Amino acid sequence: MTDTRGPKPPYDMYDDGPLPAERPSAAQQAAQPYHPPQAYAAGGTQGGGSAGGTLGGAQGAAGVRRPRTGAKTTPRTRKARLRVAKADPWSVMKVSFLLSIALGICTVVAAAVLWMVMDAMGVFSTVGATISDATGSTDSNGFDLQAFLSLPRVLVFTSVIAVIDVVLATALATLGAFIYNLAAGFVGGVELTLAEDE
């Protein structure tokens, strides 16, 4: 019998790709960057025709988000509602002591400046002369206002008042902290609303 199918090739033919010996190894394939398949060309063409290019360009333009113009943005205000539940008497005493000392120093300086201004304007001499004429007699010259309201005496008197003010203010502030703690235990304390603008 004669085989009519013709001669068989000695090996398989690879028409669509290289031979197994010519293919790159796995290490070479891993070193190369991976490029995912693309459904459309980069230029926006589809199928190579003008209609496909128009369709791809329209899809690309539709996929881009454009910012809205004329949108008004109002700043949001964050609010926090807090409650002062307790005031530390020790901290209140320290703060009130320092503030009262500063107030006492300002009082002494203000009294000295006021006395200098009134003395430069001649207030003490004018008023003193009037009082001396009103209280004077043939035996005495009357009350000497300028000697009584001298600068050292005024400063000493103002310093004494400032020291008393420091003691009273510190004591009253500390007592007020104790009273506030007692009241806060019954009514819950003072509520504050804090707001922050962004």
Side-chain angles (χ1 to χ4, degrees):
M1 294 178 65
T2 304
D3 191 1
T4 59
R5 292 178 296 178
K8 294 182 179 181
Y11 53 87
D12 295 336
M13 300 297 293
Y14 295 90
D15 297 335
D16 298 336
L19 297 175
E22 299 177 357
R23 293 178 181 176
S25 61
Q28 295 178 355
Q29 291 180 358
Q32 296 179 357
Y34 174 72
H35 299 284
Q38 298 181 358
Y40 303 100
T45 59
Q46 181 180 2
S50 59
T54 306
L55 178 61
Q59 290 179 354
V64 177
R65 294 186 60 184
R66 297 181 179 179
R68 293 181 298 174
T69 58
K72 297 182 179 179
T73 58
T74 57
R76 287 187 287 177
T77 302
R78 295 186 299 177
K79 294 183 179 180
R81 192 172 185 180
L82 304 178
R83 181 169 54 91
V84 183
K86 183 180 180 181
D88 188 13
W90 176 249
S91 62
V92 171
M93 185 184 70
K94 291 188 294 184
V95 172
S96 62
F97 179 71
L98 293 178
L99 291 178
S100 58
I101 287 179
L103 181 61
I105 294 174
C106 293
T107 303
V108 173
V109 173
V113 172
L114 181 62
W115 189 92
M116 292 178 182
V117 171
M118 293 178 67
D119 184 54
M121 293 174 61
V123 176
F124 295 118
S125 60
T126 304
V127 176
T130 303
I131 294 177
S132 297
D133 295 339
T135 58
S137 61
T138 57
D139 297 335
S140 61
N141 295 328
F143 181 74
D144 191 2
L145 183 63
Q146 292 182 350
F148 180 76
L149 293 180
S150 61
L151 181 60
R153 184 172 293 182
V154 170
L155 291 180
V156 169
F157 182 73
T158 308
S159 301
V160 171
I161 293 179
V163 170
I164 296 175
D165 182 35
V166 168
V167 175
L168 289 179
T170 305
L172 290 177
T174 307
L175 182 61
F178 280 107
I179 295 176
Y180 176 80
N181 292 336
L182 292 177
F186 292 101
V187 299
V190 178
E191 293 185 357
L192 304 176
T193 302
L194 306 179
E196 179 183 2
D197 294 336
E198 295 183 354

